[in-house]
Amino acid sequence: DRSGTMVGTVLMMEKTPHAVAERQTEAGNEEEEEELHMIEKLSAFGINAGDIKKAKEAGFYTVKSIIMIPKKVLYAVKGLSEAKVDKMVDAASKLVSCSFITGVEALEKRKQIIKITVGSKAVDDILGGGIETQSITEVFGEYRSGKTQLSHTLAVTTQLEMDKGGGFGKVAVIDTEGAFRPENIVPIAQRFGLDPEKVLSNIVTARAYNTDHQIELLNHVAALCSAEPFRLLIVDSLTALFRSDFSGRGELAERQQKLNQMMSKIKRLADQYNVAVFVTNQVMADPGGGSVFVQDAKKPIGGHILAHASSVRMMVRKGKGESRVIKIIQHPNMPEADATFDISNQGICDGCD
């Protein structure tokens, strides 16, 4: 069971050329510790150790996760009565404030966000510096448009030092189509002057086989993030299994409801652990979306649910040869714009040799 292996794997960031100074790392961990209250701290408020264990087994590892989830979900956890849940939520509210803050405080919190380079300066520029932690970045396009190569490149650049555009963290990959190729990571790591073996040791991957398994793996990711410095979650592709598990208009409402639940879970994970989320999405023909200027129009799978859940949406299409054109469709800070990048065995770049 690969998902079990994923949870049991304990990988330590090595002291490599791309590691920051030890003191700086410890200082960063202390700052994160203040913000990231683990669920065990509820014991100081009279919460039974057995109840804390049950909550962790259900996928809740932080105090904030108890506040962020609807109570009815906690009520459904085996062994937790309504009285126990109410007491747990009350204790969590005393430890972590989820009330109003001033605009000044909100601005200060934004400073925790890390921007991670995608490997192309042109693409970084239209993104305002790269993909952001605490956000979901979605890229959609046809097959062979470069979505997976973007994912592979990010799996490496996330491990760079922060002053080099990285996130100095580990990477989790949920692979729904068998597209992850560890051998493709090697030349990308070499391009950035990193040790390929150490880069691969800081990437964990699990193959998802159905939508239930895909959602369950998010609990495993939360367990990993609670124990180690993960900075990126990749889901490639987000919607492939939803298309195969649900067919026809008769199952559309159920599919969208389940997709919404998964996206809510991903957003909570990104917010709790200051993780960047990069998801790839498939497209479908849009007969009514064409015009005299746009032939063979395509639209992303997932409808409004996915459009509202993603902070950033980008469309990628083939250009000439190995070049690709990527366009920002939706971004909270940046205008609509497009950029051209190249694909090579060293990932995505500007004018690859």
Side-chain angles (χ1 to χ4, degrees), residues 133-154:
T133 56
Q134 299 183 30
S135 294
I136 299 173
T137 301
E138 174 201 352
V139 61
F140 61 87
E142 295 181 89
Y143 66 94
R144 287 188 56 79
S145 58
K147 303 186 297 294
T148 297
Q149 196 69 335
L150 272 163
S151 301
H152 283 144
T153 307
L154 278 165

Side-chain angles (χ1 to χ4, degrees), residues 156-220:
V156 175
T157 59
T158 298
Q159 299 183 45
L160 292 168
E161 295 176 30
M162 292 183 193
D163 60 359
K164 293 181 179 177
F168 186 60
K170 299 186 179 185
V171 180
V173 180
I174 297 177
D175 183 5
T176 68
E177 298 182 280
F180 179 73
R181 294 288 183 271
E183 60 270 25
N184 290 352
I185 296 294
V186 174
I188 302 174
Q190 291 171 338
R191 168 192 164 192
F192 287 98
L194 306 181
D195 183 331
E197 187 174 341
K198 289 173 181 176
V199 167
L200 284 168
S201 72
N202 287 320
I203 300 172
V204 294
T205 179
R207 179 74 187 274
Y209 294 99
N210 57 62
T211 51
D212 290 327
H213 188 206
Q214 184 173 339
I215 293 171
E216 175 59 26
L217 284 171
L218 292 175
N219 289 339
H220 299 175

Side-chain angles (χ1 to χ4, degrees), residues 56-102:
K56 287 183 70 175
E57 288 171 351
F60 304 104
Y61 296 91
T62 66
V63 174
K64 198 172 183 180
S65 67
I66 297 296
I67 298 174
M68 295 171 82
I69 201 77
K71 279 188 179 181
K72 65 179 181 180
V73 176
L74 293 170
Y75 292 154
V77 175
K78 189 176 180 181
L80 292 183
S81 65
E82 290 191 15
K84 287 181 177 180
V85 168
D86 291 344
K87 184 179 179 182
M88 191 176 285
V89 172
D90 184 56
S93 299
K94 292 175 182 175
L95 191 57
V96 176
S97 174
C98 284
S99 187
F100 290 101
I101 60 174
T102 67

